[in-house]
């Protein structure tokens, strides 16, 4: 019982920090379970995926109502991310836990770097006859009382980047939000508010696709998943309420240092074959 309570409060902290920094709770849940509690890697990934579904679903509804999320672009790119997520989940069943730990550590460092970078903000006009125009990958969003128009660019490269993001999500049990935003910001040149909210809308669906495979393999354990899910959702809720009064820039730097240390420790354990 005491271990479940400790796991619950650890998940609350993961959800809180993930919400405040935008990295998501999954990047903390995996090290917490594997390094802190000795949970086998594949069980930790299964629990993390369920928590990703929970945290994404609640906020996604709010962003859609506010008019920031582009559902059409999100559903189009979901073809890529869900395909990638299924591939990643299948690859996870083949790879040994130590290899997954090394890959996780590498992606974690990449995620931190991407999160600390200054985010570009685009507002591209609609080009008649383009692929984006034919697929209707454009829309509007509210900005300080003004409705602004935008259109996607470089759809093909963005689509393949989304496949990679989906593979990492299914393989590692994380939302891969930073990779999704990278594809939509840097490649498809969508406005920052649109890319972040659309990414959040997509994360839950992507996690569902891969979690079904983990469930089929018996790698989603209720006694682990329940406290993690409740804790992360509660932590994310608290984080969303305190986000306005928090000094997020300083927090991101501190959290980046902590996550970088965790990633190095995970890589060390992976190289020394310490994961189960």
């Amino acid at each position: 019982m005491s271990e479940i309570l400790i796991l619950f409060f650890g998940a609350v902290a993961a959800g809180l920090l993930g919400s405040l920094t935008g990295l998501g709770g999954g990047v903390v849940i995996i090290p917490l379970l594997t390094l802190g509690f000795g949970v086998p890697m594949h069980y930790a990934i299964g629990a993390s995926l369920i928590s990703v579904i929970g945290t994404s679903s609640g906020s996604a509804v709010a962003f859609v109502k506010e008019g920031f999320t582009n559902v059409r672009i999100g559903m189009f790119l979901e073809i890529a991310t869900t395909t990638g997520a299924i591939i990643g989940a299948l690859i996870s069943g083949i790879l040994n836990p130590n290899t997954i730990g090394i890959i996780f550590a590498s992606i974690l460092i990449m995620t931190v770097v991407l999160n600390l970078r200054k985010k570009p903000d685009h507002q591209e006009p609609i080009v008649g006859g383009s692929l984006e125009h034919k697929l209707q990958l454009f829309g509007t969003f509210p900005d300080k009382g003004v409705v602004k128009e935008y259109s996607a660019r470089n759809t093909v490269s963005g689509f393949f980047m989304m496949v990679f993001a989906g593979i990492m999500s299914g393989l590692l049990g994380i939302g891969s939000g930073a990779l999704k935003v990278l594809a939509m910001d840097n490649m498809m040149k969508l406005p920052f508010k649109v890319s972040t909210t659309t990414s959040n809308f997509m994360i839950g669906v992507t996690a569902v696709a891969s979690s079904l495979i983990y469930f089929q393999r018996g790698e989603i354990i209720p006694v682990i998943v329940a406290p993690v899910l409740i804790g992360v959702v509660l932590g994310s809720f608290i984080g969303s309420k305190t986000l306005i009064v928090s000094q997020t820039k300083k927090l991101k730097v501190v959290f980046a240092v902590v996550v970088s240390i965790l990633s190095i420790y995970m890589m060390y354990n992976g190289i020394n074959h310490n994961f189960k």
Side-chain angles (χ1 to χ4, degrees):
M1 186 64 183
S2 60
E3 287 189 353
I4 293 177
L5 285 174
I6 295 171
L7 180 55
F8 168 75
F9 287 114
V12 171
L16 175 63
L17 290 172
S19 175
L20 289 173
T21 58
L23 286 175
V27 298
V28 180
I29 287 297
I30 301 293
L32 174 69
L33 291 174
T34 56
L35 302 178
F37 289 88
V39 173
M41 179 66 74
H42 290 91
Y43 294 165
I45 293 172
S48 179
L49 282 170
I50 299 300
S51 73
V52 166
I53 296 169
T55 53
S56 170
S57 302
S59 55
V61 174
F63 289 137
V64 171
K65 287 182 178 178
E66 290 170 8
F68 292 110
T69 304
N70 190 309
V71 176
R72 186 176 183 86
I73 291 177
M75 293 303 292
F76 171 72
L77 294 176
E78 276 295 352
I79 300 171
T81 56
T82 52
T83 301
I86 293 169
I87 294 171
L90 293 174
I91 293 174
S92 175
I94 300 171
L95 296 179
N96 68 66
N98 296 293
T99 302
I100 295 173
I102 293 171
I103 296 171
F104 182 91
S106 303
I107 294 297
L108 204 58
I109 293 172
M110 182 192 302
T111 300
V112 170
V113 172
L114 291 175
N115 194 63
L116 289 175
R117 286 195 334 166
K118 185 178 179 181
K119 304 295 192 299
D121 199 9
H122 304 281
Q123 193 178 331
E124 300 293 327
I126 301 170
V127 178
S130 64
L131 176 62
E132 293 75 23
H133 183 257
K134 292 175 181 177
L135 294 174
Q136 298 182 37
L137 302 182
F138 50 80
T140 60
F141 72 100
D143 185 27
K144 298 177 181 178
V146 179
V147 177
K148 295 184 176 181
E149 295 184 347
Y150 63 89
S151 176
R153 291 283 187 275
N154 308 317
T155 298
V156 175
S157 58
F159 188 89
F160 282 106
M161 183 64 190
M162 285 296 183
V163 173
F164 176 71
I167 291 173
M168 291 301 103
S169 177
L171 175 63
L172 306 175
I174 57 178
S176 294
L179 297 176
K180 291 183 174 74
V181 171
L182 174 67
M184 288 186 275
D185 275 351
N186 295 66
M187 294 182 176
M188 299 181 72
K189 301 189 182 302
L190 293 170
F192 178 61
K193 289 181 180 178
V194 175
S195 62
T196 51
T197 54
T198 304
S199 170
N200 191 76
F201 168 76
M202 296 167 59
I203 284 173
V205 181
T206 305
V208 168
S210 51
S211 64
L212 291 173
I213 295 175
Y214 284 88
F215 181 79
Q216 185 182 32
R217 290 202 299 245
E219 293 170 348
I220 293 181
I221 309 301
V223 72
I224 299 173
V225 170
V228 168
L229 174 60
I230 297 170
V232 170
V233 170
L234 178 59
S236 298
F237 177 77
I238 296 171
S240 66
K241 295 299 180 184
T242 58
L243 185 62
I244 299 173
V245 297
S246 302
Q247 294 182 326
T248 51
K249 288 185 179 179
K250 291 182 180 179
L251 184 61
K252 282 185 178 182
V253 174
V254 174
F255 192 50
V257 173
V258 174
V259 173
S260 297
I261 293 171
L262 281 175
S263 64
I264 292 169
Y265 189 44
M266 284 202 72
M267 187 169 289
Y268 170 81
N269 279 272
I271 293 171
N272 286 280
H273 301 89
N274 293 330
F275 289 117
K276 293 188 285 184

